[in-house]
Amino acid sequence: MWVLSWKSYKLSKFATFVSIIGALVRYAGVMCLFAAAIPAALICIAIGIALHFCAEAIAKKKAAKVSKNAQPQKAAPEQKQPAAKPTAPAPAQPAAADGKVKCGKCGTFVAATTKFCPECGNPMVSEKPKQKKCLRCGKEVEPGTKFCPECGYEIK
């Protein structure tokens, strides 16, 4: 009757566990009523209801935490839309024999140590961007990721 499901309400499993325990204690209180143990029944039912409200409080706390983490993630793209997005840098070509690389945008040969093309200003990306690791679970995440896809921890 009053059991909160973590799957349908997207709650923590602990909140669901507390809710189930509360339902079982309430059920025990009803059984005490049938056995004519009125004081025990009232105590069990009161404890069961209290556990249910604790489960709701846990669920609300988690929902507030999730929505708090989700707000910056949703707000960030809206803030970036007015500003012009830079295009992804064209990858630099492999180094030539004389130590020069070809710009992926304009085709000019520049020194391999140059960071930006002197003709078009294109960043000379010659290696893969360094990947970050999640501080909580250790999973490698792509650059620019705001939350870990494995555990949901905020990447800073």
Side-chain angles (χ1 to χ4, degrees), residues 5 9 22 43 49 54 60 69 78 90 114 138:
S5 168
Y9 293 104
I43 291 171
I49 292 172
C54 288
K60 286 179 183 176
N69 286 344
E78 293 173 6
T114 305

Side-chain angles (χ1 to χ4, degrees), residues 35-110:
I38 305 289
L42 294 176
I43 291 171
C44 287
I45 291 172
I47 291 172
I49 292 172
L51 285 172
H52 173 75
F53 286 118
C54 288
E56 281 187 349
I58 293 168
K60 286 179 183 176
K61 187 174 182 181
K62 181 179 180 191
K65 183 186 270 187
V66 168
S67 67
K68 182 179 176 185
N69 286 344
Q71 285 175 351
Q73 185 179 15
K74 290 180 182 176
E78 293 173 6
Q79 293 172 353
K80 290 181 182 177
Q81 285 177 352
K85 288 186 176 181
T87 59
Q93 300 296 323
D98 59 351
K100 293 189 175 189
V101 293
K102 185 177 179 181
C103 174
K105 189 173 182 183
C106 68
T108 305
F109 282 96
V110 296

